[in-house]
Amino acid sequence: MPEPSEFMARAIEIGCKAMLEDGAAPFAAIVVKDGEIVGTGVNNVVNNCDATSHGEVEAIRDAGRNLGTWDLSGCELYTTCEPCEMCVAAMFWANIERLYYAATLSDCEAIGFNLAPLTAMVRSDLNDRALPASQLMADESRAVLQLWRRQPGFNAF
């Protein structure tokens, strides 16, 4: 079975190639299950006009399609950089078992890529965030949640 450093080297290679050939950002990730790569992704936010097109999210999407499931229990994720909060949330929902990362968010900050405002927003109380939030139609939405709970095969993950 390949060593973790071999998978990380592959992720770095994928990110560098996508950056040089396709204009992607150099952030890439791979998902590994049982020693096999089951998903790959690169940061194509600009190319795809999609703010969620981070390498980790794209690798999770690819692995889900390839494995035919959203549940990636037993999978590891290798990423070329410490993930942002959105990507950590995606790993949580996908049940990623272990994370390996190369560069840090501090390394990104050193080249002018600052995620401190995102971190502050995510970690603050909903009503204290820079992004204004207003609750609307809570009762109606709760009724749909209760209906979902009563559906056959309900699974709240």
Side-chain angles (χ1 to χ4, degrees), residues 10-93:
R10 179 70 181 125
I12 292 169
E13 176 186 327
I14 290 168
C16 187
K17 182 178 183 205
M19 177 188 66
L20 295 173
E21 294 179 4
D22 303 326
F27 305 107
I30 61 173
V31 175
V32 174
K33 183 167 186 161
D34 300 327
E36 299 291 328
I37 296 173
V38 296
T40 63
V42 298
N43 183 307
N44 268 308
V45 167
V46 174
N47 293 342
N48 292 344
C49 301
D50 178 356
T52 68
S53 185
H54 289 202
E56 298 90 342
V57 172
E58 294 296 340
I60 288 168
R61 289 173 179 163
D62 191 42
R65 284 188 299 267
N66 291 333
L67 296 173
T69 182
W70 62 268
D71 185 357
L72 302 181
S73 295
C75 291
E76 300 172 330
L77 190 140
Y78 294 76
T79 182
T80 60
C81 187
E82 177 185 353
C84 73
E85 282 81 355
M86 178 183 70
C87 294
V88 170
M91 287 180 247
F92 170 83
W93 289 113

Side-chain angles (χ1 to χ4, degrees), residues 17 30 35-37 51 67 80-81 83 95-96 99 118 122-123 139 141 149 152 154:
K17 182 178 183 205
I30 61 173
E36 299 291 328
I37 296 173
L67 296 173
T80 60
C81 187
N95 294 317
I96 295 294
L99 167 67
L118 170 64
V122 169
R123 293 183 181 176
D139 290 337
S141 184
R149 187 174 64 92
F154 167 76

